[in-house]
Structure formats: structure tokens, C-alpha cells
Amino acid sequence: MTLYRLTADARRSAGALVLGVIAVAVYAAWNLASLLTGGVQGPEWVLGALMIALLIVSPAVAWTLLGEIQYTVATDATGLTVRLLGVHLHYDWAQVRAVSASTTSPTIRNKAQSAGPSAEPGTSPSGPALPTAIDGTDLSIEERPAGDPAPAVAQPDPIDGPLYLHVEPPAPDRIAQPLVRLLYRQAYGNTLPLPAGLTGRTDLLAEIAARQSLVSSV
């Protein structure tokens, strides 16, 4: 089993942001209490509405940041397991569909040699599409001709921001707790996150592509 988690610097940065979110929430609560005590009149309704919005959004932002601090990905021959605050999800390799820089629109360009020149982008006669491109940059492993013993090697990770794994079934559908499911869907959509500060993320991308190549060849 291989374990991936955020670097110490990334965890410290997330912790500092959590403290910032708490400070904003306290400020919003204090201002709202002052408005209600003195009576809300005229333009003060706009300020009051803003403070209420901050109080509503702050818990969701704090949950996302605390989840990143605890975030880990464990991989083995059977699949990968993602753990974060209140969430524990396991997916077989056959259930991992694509890697993307977006939670909604994976950019997939399958370059399997068996597809042929007339094949549609993102399709493969041998199985599900491989995670092959992120915003036009190839991150996948091309399928090699049968008998080629050379190991597959992924391109270096060129994306500084977060990446997302598109999986089936969608991740929120497997979270039983309604509040956690809502918070997760708001933060990551139907995907599994791969934060920017993840240690060895390039190695993880290479492993995902290699495992998918094996799955599609079976």
C-alpha cells in the first residue's frame, strides 16, 4: 500500500486559513449582534444580510480546509481509498474514470494505439477512457503494443491547482451522513479531490494511469 497526504507546509497553510475563516465568522457574528441590538435601519439591512451570508458560508469553508488537513489517499492493487473529515471512500481501479482540473468537465483524449485514426476522442474499444489530458496537457500513459515490457511513465504534473478524479458511482452518493454529503458535494462535486499540496501527486497520477492501463487491457 502507498499512502499520499498533504505536505507539512500545505497543512500549515490550510490551518492558517481555518483561523482566518474563524476570525471572519466571529467578526460577522459581532457585527450582526451590534446591528440587531441597535436596530436595523435603511442600508444597514444590506450589511446585516452580508454578515448572515458570511456566517452561512464560513462552516462550509472551514470543513473543506479541515478536510484537506486530514486528507489522505491510499492505493494498492485493488484500488484507492480517500479519507478526509467524516469521509472514507474506496474505489476499485475499474471505477476510476478520468482525471481533470474541473469537478464537472473532465478533459479526456484517449491515445490508445488500438483506437485507430477514426476513433472518437475519449473512447476506446478495450474499456473506459483513460485519464489522458488536463486542460490540453497530456498526463496519461499511452497503451503499449502487446509484448512491450517497458514500464509506463506519466508526464510530469504541470498543474499547480487542485485536480479531481471522476469516479463511478459519484462520491457523494456513497456518503451516508446528509450534512457531510452536502458539504462534500459543494466542495468537490461528484469527484475525488487531489489537492495541489499532495505529496507525490505526480507519482499518484502515474500510478492511476498505469492501473487504468492494466484494467483496460483485461
Side-chain angles (χ1 to χ4, degrees), residues 8-32:
D9 287 343
R11 293 197 300 273
R12 282 193 292 268
S13 296
L17 289 174
V18 170
L19 294 178
V21 171
I22 293 174
V24 169
V26 171
Y27 172 79
W30 180 79
N31 272 277
L32 184 61

Side-chain angles (χ1 to χ4, degrees), residues 2-115:
T2 306
L3 189 66
Y4 304 88
R5 64 174 306 178
L6 290 189
T7 64
D9 287 343
R11 293 197 300 273
R12 282 193 292 268
S13 296
L17 289 174
V18 170
L19 294 178
V21 171
I22 293 174
V24 169
V26 171
Y27 172 79
W30 180 79
N31 272 277
L32 184 61
S34 298
L35 288 173
L36 294 177
T37 300
V40 182
Q41 298 178 355
E44 292 179 343
W45 283 105
V46 177
L47 180 59
L50 177 60
M51 296 301 104
I52 292 174
L54 289 175
L55 288 174
I56 293 174
V57 171
S58 294
V61 176
W63 180 88
T64 302
L65 293 170
L66 289 172
E68 289 194 3
I69 293 173
Q70 298 183 1
Y71 179 89
T72 60
V73 179
T75 62
D76 56 26
T78 64
L80 57 84
T81 302
V82 169
R83 292 183 178 88
L84 50 86
L85 188 62
V87 177
H88 180 185
L89 299 173
H90 175 81
Y91 281 89
D92 295 337
W93 290 116
Q95 296 175 305
V96 178
R97 301 305 186 201
V99 180
S100 158
S102 167
T103 61
T104 56
S105 303
T107 305
I108 306 171
R109 184 177 66 253
N110 194 326
K111 297 172 63 179
Q113 295 179 1
S114 59

